[in-house]
Amino acid sequence: MIPLTHCFGWTKGSRDEQKNRMREFADAGAKHLVLTNGLLAEGLKDSAYLMTFADDMKEFGLDFVDSHALWGMWSDPGLPAEEWREIMLLRHRMAFRICQHYGVCTMAFHTGNTFNSVFGKELVLDDYYDALIRSLEILLPEAEKCGVIIALENQWTPLNHSRQLLHVMEHFRSPNLGLCYDSGHGNLMEKGLLFPGQTCVPPIWNDLGIPVEWEENLIEKFAPWMVNCHLHDNNGISDEHKLPGNGTVDWTRIKNVLRRSPRLACIQNECSAKGISISQLCGSFQNRLCDF
């Protein structure tokens, strides 16, 4: 049975509010929560915060299975700004230690945003790719020490196009490196071309000065390398994180590929809880993925 994990924005509420949400997750049948980038950031600032959070989870029979790495323009491993790379790498190495402590085995990473308007107009895609490779050369041995698999996630920017990510997989061929398939991001890259002038995809590609390279058969390409997946729905235009069935993602196709992905370690519910109850959030996934 592949574990189903649930992502939630924990860091905005009080401890009592967090515990109420944990109770709702447990009452809805959830067993596993995601060690989010927000929780990691709080834990890196104050270890006691994460210790308390984990103790509270245990009260409701909940635990961590997977994590999302610290992310953002200055936190992603494809960062080309040399003066900030050492700090970025140190924070990820510290996060691996936290994952080791809580038994987390997969950590999803955004590779980075290729913003020439921020990092320098003279840069080309290969510069960002080289920065990513150099980061992984440092991070992979640290991840191995901590029993963590780095899972590179598809987004909708040039550095995390399937062509780039599959090159990285072939370059390292490491058991501590895999892919994280994000169904919402995949839908944007496969269907966004149907909505010229509306889709959120082109701006970052335009910033780099290259045309969008739309995707085809993305999850099928990921299958041999996939260790985690972030599942949510959208309309092919924007990254809405809707419940399954409330967008245009082909869920039959997704499930068929997931079943034949030999390295898949967990499935993550990454839908937004905005405007719905936690019971609805969990129930939708448990109904949609009941045969997993």
Side-chain angles (χ1 to χ4, degrees):
M1 187 80 171
I2 297 175
L4 172 63
T5 72
H6 299 275
C7 187
F8 190 73
W10 293 102
T11 56
K12 295 179 181 179
S14 67
R15 182 180 179 187
D16 285 343
E17 289 171 327
Q18 288 177 342
K19 292 183 74 170
N20 286 337
R21 301 291 87 76
M22 291 175 187
R23 182 179 292 106
E24 292 178 54
F25 271 106
D27 289 346
K31 301 294 184 185
H32 313 292
L33 302 178
V34 178
L35 179 55
T36 64
N37 61 296
L39 289 172
L40 278 175
E42 291 296 327
L44 289 174
K45 287 191 293 185
D46 180 5
S47 298
Y49 178 94
L50 205 49
M51 292 176 188
T52 299
F53 188 92
D55 285 342
D56 290 343
M57 282 199 309
K58 290 178 184 177
E59 287 185 36
F60 303 101
L62 300 167
D63 63 8
F64 292 129
V65 171
D66 61 336
S67 176
H68 199 302
L70 303 168
W71 64 271
M73 189 179 299
W74 303 97
S75 296
D76 296 330
L79 175 68
E82 290 299 324
E83 64 272 28
W84 290 104
R85 285 174 49 76
E86 184 177 355
I87 294 171
M88 175 269 293
L89 293 168
L90 178 60
R91 295 176 76 223
H92 286 308
R93 292 166 68 188
M94 293 168 66
F96 289 151
R97 300 300 193 278
I98 293 174
C99 287
Q100 181 182 32
H101 180 78
Y102 290 110
V104 169
C105 62
T106 69
M107 175 179 269
F109 275 76
H110 294 174
T111 57
N113 293 324
T114 41
F115 278 121
N116 276 23
S117 57
V118 175
F119 297 119
K121 294 183 179 179
E122 73 282 359
L123 296 178
V124 297
L125 183 55
D126 282 348
D127 295 317
Y128 294 93
Y129 180 84
D130 289 345
L132 174 62
I133 293 296
R134 286 187 287 118
S135 292
L136 289 172
E137 287 172 346
I138 294 170
L139 292 177
L140 275 169
E142 296 296 320
E144 183 178 4
K145 289 177 187 176
C146 297
V148 174
I149 301 173
I150 295 173
L152 302 182
E153 179 181 345
N154 61 296
Q155 292 176 270
W156 60 88
T157 72
L159 191 58
N160 44 63
H161 189 276
S162 64
R163 180 168 52 83
Q164 301 292 338
L165 297 183
L166 292 172
H167 281 170
V168 177
M169 294 301 108
E170 292 290 348
H171 178 87
F172 287 101
R173 286 198 164 270
S174 167
N176 287 91
L177 184 65
L179 294 175
C180 172
Y181 175 74
D182 186 295
S183 61
H185 300 166
N187 204 46
L188 294 175
M189 284 301 296
E190 291 186 335
K191 295 177 181 170
L193 78 170
L194 302 175
F195 305 99
Q198 300 179 63
T199 171
C200 66
V201 173
I204 296 180
W205 293 74
N206 294 341
D207 192 86
L208 190 62
I210 59 177
V212 177
E213 186 177 350
W214 299 101
E215 295 275 15
E216 292 182 348
N217 304 316
L218 180 54
I219 189 172
E220 289 81 2
K221 295 174 184 175
F222 271 34
W225 308 97
M226 197 189 319
V227 296
N228 196 351
C229 58
H230 295 171
L231 301 185
H232 51 102
D233 216 329
N234 63 49
N235 56 14
I237 298 174
S238 58
D239 191 27
E240 298 166 292
H241 286 253
K242 293 182 175 181
L243 291 174
N246 290 348
T248 58
V249 169
D250 183 344
W251 290 100
T252 299
R253 171 193 171 200
I254 297 291
K255 288 168 63 175
N256 286 340
V257 177
L258 294 181
R259 289 191 187 99
R260 60 176 188 269
S261 298
R263 296 181 62 193
L264 186 62
C266 62
I267 293 171
Q268 183 185 133
N269 169 6
E270 205 183 34
C271 291
S272 170
K274 185 177 180 179
I276 62 172
S277 68
I278 288 176
S279 177
Q280 290 173 296
L281 181 70
C282 295
S284 174
F285 258 77
Q286 287 158 355
N287 291 336
R288 181 68 60 171
L289 299 170
C290 60
D291 47 357
F292 273 91

